[in-house]
Amino acid sequence: MTLILGIESSCDETAAAVVEDGRIAHSNIVASQDELHVKYGGVVPEIASRAHLERIYPVVSEAIQQANIKLNEIDAIAVGNRPGLIGSLLVGVASAKALAWSLEKPLITVDHVIAHLWAPHLSGSEVTYPALGVVVSGGHTSLLLLQDPYTAECLGKTIDDAAGEAFDKAASILGLGWPGGGRIDKAASDGSPIHKLPRPKTKGERPDFSFSGLKTALLYGVRGNPVRRDGKNVFPRNSTDLNYQEICDWAASFQHAAVDSIMHGIQHALDHNNVRCVVAGGGVLANTLLRKQLEATASGYNIPIHLPDFKFCVDNAAMIAGLGYHLFEIGHRDQLNITASSKGIAS
Ligand code: KG4
Ligand code: ZN
């Protein structure tokens, strides 16, 4: 039995987990910072890194306690060291190094985006390779061709906003609050996609994504075209002029357009690559419509789809420990001079 302690601090979740053999999470502690960033409507990097500093020690201690083990019973420490907010990543990396040095245990660094695609393994999925990896989160929208759990080639990605970011902005336009993905999903379940919104497709051969035009179309649809008043451009309407049903119909229309765009890229990737399955991860995989459409598409192509459980969709350290286990098993080790990087391996 191999026990890996995973540490994650790439954005605004401070997380630690203890995972056995890459698959059984004995603990999975996630301290969200939502309450610190909500008034800014998005993550403020400086606030995030300071909060990681305060939380990392209690979060790691809780992960060890909940797993009911002693710290020196772990076999290695895995940490997400890329991509992400550099100040945030450094807190996790420095903590992991300190633990590795003091416990004399191996240190393994992991790419956060590729780790999202380990998440389905934590619920028993057996992924076969080559696989199409679909990462849809608050920071990333990427299609990866995976030859094994860690060898990834980027087939396509967003050229502007990430899909989760677009959901967050759409929720803010509709006055639903932040973070917005779950709120749009819930409102959409009470609405109908009656408004026509664009399904942006990028030109060219790659299955890239673009969400900023969709967001602008929603803004103008909800608030009208800006008019000139007292020398300023102002919107004729406000989201507060909408009743509950109207908000839900706009949420459903946005969600359909965003999910259609994601699915279009996935179908393009499946048409041009020979893969044995689809494996997906990231916060937006909590979306009801996206999960349904992914299942339907994979079944149309006659290949299995591996989706993460809801608790492993958003940022967590179990996925870091899981992928760390795979790297540990194939002999991967990092030195204590390793650092963090804002850029990912393949995203
Ligand atoms: O994976 P994650 O924790 O962050 C990054 O690694 O970037 O994903 C967070 C994102 C947020 O943008 C949030 O709005 C979105 O996932 N999200 C959803 C849903 N639940 C969370 N988006 C659409 N539908 C949902 N149900
Ligand atoms: Zn993430």
Side-chain angles (χ1 to χ4, degrees), residues 49 102 107-108 110 116 120-121 151 181 196 199 250 272 274 295 304-305 328 333 335:
S49 48
S102 59
L107 172 71
I108 297 162
V110 167
H116 269 300
H121 293 83
T151 311
K196 253 195 153 146
R199 269 76 171 148
W250 278 111
H272 291 83
N274 217 347
E295 274 163 358
I305 170 106
F328 179 82
R333 303 287 184 271
Q335 300 303 311

Side-chain angles (χ1 to χ4, degrees), residues 33 38 64 74 76-77 90 182 202 219 269 275 303 317 325 328:
Q33 301 178 5
V38 67
I64 295 292
I74 57 167
I77 297 127
L90 282 169
T202 54
L219 176 67
V275 292
I303 50 174
Y325 166 77
F328 179 82

Side-chain angles (χ1 to χ4, degrees), residues 183-205:
R183 296 164 202 245
I184 291 275
D185 200 351
K186 191 165 174 296
S189 68
D190 285 338
S192 306
I194 54 172
H195 302 288
K196 253 195 153 146
L197 288 171
R199 269 76 171 148
K201 289 176 192 143
T202 54
K203 295 190 184 78
E205 278 307 290

Side-chain angles (χ1 to χ4, degrees), residues 269-317:
L270 287 173
D271 287 339
H272 291 83
N273 294 278
N274 217 347
V275 292
R276 297 177 68 192
C277 70
V278 179
V279 56
V284 183
L285 264 301
N287 188 266
T288 328
L289 182 66
L290 179 59
R291 288 176 86 93
K292 264 198 209 135
Q293 300 252 4
L294 273 167
E295 274 163 358
T297 297
S299 122
Y301 282 79
N302 219 3
I303 50 174
I305 170 106
H306 302 290
L307 297 174
D309 271 2
F310 287 103
K311 64 175 178 290
F312 298 125
C313 285
V314 288
D315 286 350
N316 65 84

Side-chain angles (χ1 to χ4, degrees), residues 4-7 17-19 22 78 110 118 317-326:
I4 308 282
L5 169 67
I7 295 180
V18 174
V19 174
V110 167
W118 187 271
M319 67 186 197
I320 302 285
L323 189 52
Y325 166 77
H326 165 76

Side-chain angles (χ1 to χ4, degrees), residues 14 33 47-58 87-88 91 94-95:
T14 319
Q33 301 178 5
I47 294 176
S49 48
R50 282 166 195 259
H52 284 307
L53 264 181
E54 285 165 11
R55 292 161 191 219
I56 193 85
Y57 180 76
S88 292
V91 176
S95 313

Side-chain angles (χ1 to χ4, degrees), residues 246-261:
E246 288 166 332
I247 289 177
C248 293
D249 289 343
W250 278 111
S253 305
F254 170 84
Q255 179 167 279
H256 266 80
V259 170
D260 274 359
S261 292

